[in-house]
């Protein structure tokens, strides 16, 4: 009996039947040597994905032409594929929509292999131009020093760095980078998240300068100076005060 109607969904049954009849008439397969991904139907009438390829043979008993179908259930494969696509979309959304500046760097060559939109806004390059650059094109360190830093990140010895990066307009910005190895297109790359700390760096430098100026003013003043807390305890004195009181 013709049992194809039990294992082939109705929408595909006509194509199956006409294909087999065509073979018996002309001895030709429309999809000879190909693997097709189609839907099949189980006993429970639930459809599932299969990979199918066709071959031909002659029955040794009846000398009749017969069709051989090699069928593989690919349900699990399709589920993994769908999950991978979903995960890739989540990763892409997190990468592209992140407000953080993110670069993916090949640690062997120093090539910048991917960047997100925030990186384009920060550095001022077009994506096409950015993907032609190496990390040495935007980092003021020497290539040797950069290589050493990337090796530290790859070996997970150190993940946090502070560098000077050059923008497309030549402006130098102080950046703090957290860099960790990850897989991208089956290759190990450095996933580098970049924070602009230029203003913080400038403020820190100003404080350092002010502290130095205060120290010079305090220590080398021609009058005796002391710092006294609310309880009357002296916490600091200068050389002039020591000379005055001879302590």
């Amino acid at each position: 009996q013709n049992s194809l109607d039990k294992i082939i969904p109705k929408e595909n049954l006509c194509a199956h039947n006409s294909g087999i009849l065509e073979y018996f008439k002309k001895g030709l397969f429309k999809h000879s040597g190909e693997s097709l991904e189609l839907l099949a139907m189980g006993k429970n009438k639930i459809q599932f994905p299969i990979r199918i390829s066709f071959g031909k043979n002659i029955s040794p008993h009846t000398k009749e032409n017969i069709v051989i179908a090699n069928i593989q259930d690919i349900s699990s494969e399709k589920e993994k594929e769908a999950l991978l696509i979903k995960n890739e979309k989540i990763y892409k959304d997190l990468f592209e929509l992140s407000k953080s500046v993110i670069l993916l760097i090949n640690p062997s060559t120093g090539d910048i292999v991917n960047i997100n939109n925030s990186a384009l806004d920060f550095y001022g390059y077009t994506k096409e131009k950015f993907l032609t650059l190496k990390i040495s094109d935007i980092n003021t360190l020497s290539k040797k020093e950069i290589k050493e830093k990337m090796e530290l990140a790859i070996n997970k010895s150190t993940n946090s760095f502070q560098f000077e990066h050059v923008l497309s307009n030549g402006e130098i910005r102080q950046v703090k980078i957290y860099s960790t190895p990850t897989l991208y297109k089956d290759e190990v790359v450095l996933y580098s998240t970049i924070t602009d700390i230029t203003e913080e760096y400038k403020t820190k430098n100003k404080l350092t300068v002010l502290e130095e100026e205060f120290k010079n003013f305090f220590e080398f003043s021609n009058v005796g100076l002391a710092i006294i807390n609310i309880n009357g305890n002296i916490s600091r004195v200068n050389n002039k005060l020591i000379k005055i009181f001879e302590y």
Side-chain angles (χ1 to χ4, degrees):
Q1 71 185 58
N2 186 347
S3 57
L4 286 179
D5 59 344
K6 293 183 179 179
I7 62 172
I8 299 172
K10 288 182 180 180
E11 57 267 29
N12 296 335
L13 190 59
C14 182
H16 274 272
N17 286 332
S18 62
I20 290 172
L21 288 174
E22 186 76 8
Y23 163 66
F24 285 134
K25 286 179 183 178
K26 300 179 180 179
L28 297 174
F29 275 122
K30 182 179 179 181
H31 299 287
S32 179
E34 296 181 38
S35 288
L36 306 177
E37 291 188 2
L38 302 170
L39 289 175
M41 187 166 60
K43 187 177 180 180
N44 54 9
K45 304 298 181 183
I46 295 176
Q47 296 183 12
F48 60 95
I50 61 167
R51 185 174 292 116
I52 185 169
S53 58
F54 298 100
K56 55 186 178 180
N57 204 346
I58 297 177
S59 169
H61 304 296
T62 63
K63 304 297 182 183
E64 291 178 329
N65 287 332
I66 60 174
V67 177
I68 298 173
N70 179 33
I71 300 171
Q72 179 187 2
D73 181 359
I74 57 172
S75 300
S76 177
E77 184 180 320
K78 285 296 179 183
E79 287 173 5
K80 289 178 182 177
E81 187 179 290
L83 183 60
L84 181 62
I85 292 171
K86 182 180 178 181
N87 286 342
E88 284 181 347
K89 185 179 185 306
I90 292 171
Y91 172 80
K92 186 177 180 181
D93 288 345
L94 288 173
F95 182 80
E96 292 295 346
L97 302 178
S98 175
K99 297 299 182 184
S100 299
V101 175
I102 303 173
L103 304 181
L104 298 186
I105 304 161
N106 184 319
S108 300
T109 63
D111 292 336
I112 298 171
V113 296
N114 203 1
I115 65 274
N116 68 348
N117 291 328
S118 295
L120 298 178
D121 294 338
F122 178 65
Y123 289 97
Y125 289 105
T126 63
K127 187 165 187 177
E128 291 73 20
K129 176 63 178 176
F130 219 141
L131 294 179
T132 66
L133 300 178
K134 293 182 179 292
I135 190 61
S136 56
D137 293 321
I138 64 173
N139 195 315
T140 59
L141 292 181
S142 67
K143 291 181 180 180
K144 181 182 178 182
E145 290 172 313
I146 293 171
K147 184 72 175 175
E148 290 171 353
K149 300 297 184 184
M150 288 196 294
E151 286 176 359
L152 289 174
I154 284 291
N155 297 328
K156 298 182 180 179
S157 301
T158 305
N159 296 114
S160 184
F161 306 91
Q162 185 171 326
F163 298 129
E164 287 183 339
H165 275 193
V166 185
L167 308 186
S168 62
N169 61 6
E171 182 184 352
I172 294 177
R173 307 291 289 182
Q174 299 292 329
V175 296
K176 188 172 184 179
I177 298 180
Y178 181 78
S179 196
T180 184
T182 187
L183 278 177
Y184 176 72
K185 293 184 177 179
D186 298 324
E187 289 186 337
V188 175
V189 299
L190 287 173
Y191 186 100
S192 300
T193 304
I194 296 158
T195 305
D196 183 6
I197 59 167
T198 305
E199 297 309 315
E200 177 186 333
Y201 180 82
K202 288 179 179 178
T203 302
K204 188 176 179 181
N205 276 356
K206 285 180 182 177
L207 286 173
T208 302
V209 171
L210 288 173
E211 285 176 357
E212 190 64 28
E213 288 177 351
F214 172 77
K215 181 180 177 182
N216 290 335
F217 166 78
F218 187 87
E219 293 296 342
F220 301 110
S221 175
N222 200 33
V223 296
L225 297 173
I227 296 176
I228 304 169
N229 67 20
I230 197 171
N231 298 316
N233 296 319
I234 299 173
S235 60
R236 187 171 178 178
V237 296
N238 69 348
N239 290 326
K240 186 65 176 178
L241 195 71
I242 292 172
K243 289 179 181 179
I244 292 172
F245 286 94
E246 298 183 347
Y247 278 106

